Amino acid sequence: AETLLMPPFHNGQLRTMKAHYRAREHNVRIVRPLNYAREAMTREYAEAAGLPVITDNCPGCFEAPKERARVKMVLASQEQLFPDLYGKLL
């Protein structure tokens, strides 16, 4: 949900990567199987399976993920008021 809401705040466009799409120039289908999985669900699975959990939102970034963390906090506060928020956004 953070990825969906960050672009409108910065450039006024409501868009995000699709769950699956075709990259025609390479004749490849891209599938993002965890697109609708909540972060807490993947964290619980990783911990139960003994897998490492990366705490940063963007492990490829070299600075703190400030904007994504801020949007995540906004969504968490709204989810307290609207418990079905994520289901409605996705």
Side-chain angles (χ1 to χ4, degrees):
E2 297 93 19
T3 304
L4 175 67
L5 293 179
M6 286 172 56
F9 293 152
H10 293 281
N11 60 27
Q13 296 180 355
L14 185 60
R15 53 188 265 200
T16 187
M17 290 178 64
K18 296 178 181 178
H20 63 88
Y21 61 95
R22 182 172 299 281
R24 297 192 193 286
E25 61 275 2
H26 300 292
N27 196 28
V28 174
R29 171 171 254 167
I30 310 299
V31 179
R32 300 173 64 221
L34 298 176
N35 193 54
Y36 299 110
R38 297 286 305 269
E39 184 177 343
M41 184 189 334
T42 58
R43 176 181 299 277
E44 289 170 12
Y45 176 81
E47 289 171 351
L51 299 170
V53 176
I54 298 172
T55 57
D56 293 336
N57 290 317
C58 181
C61 299
F62 296 105
E63 62 181 65
K66 301 175 196 126
E67 184 60 18
R68 185 173 295 278
R70 186 184 71 74
V71 172
K72 186 179 285 193
M73 287 179 11
V74 168
L75 285 169
S77 69
Q78 292 303 304
E79 191 174 22
Q80 296 297 316
L81 299 169
F82 307 99
D84 58 346
L85 175 66
Y86 278 85
K88 289 182 177 180
L89 287 175
L90 304 176

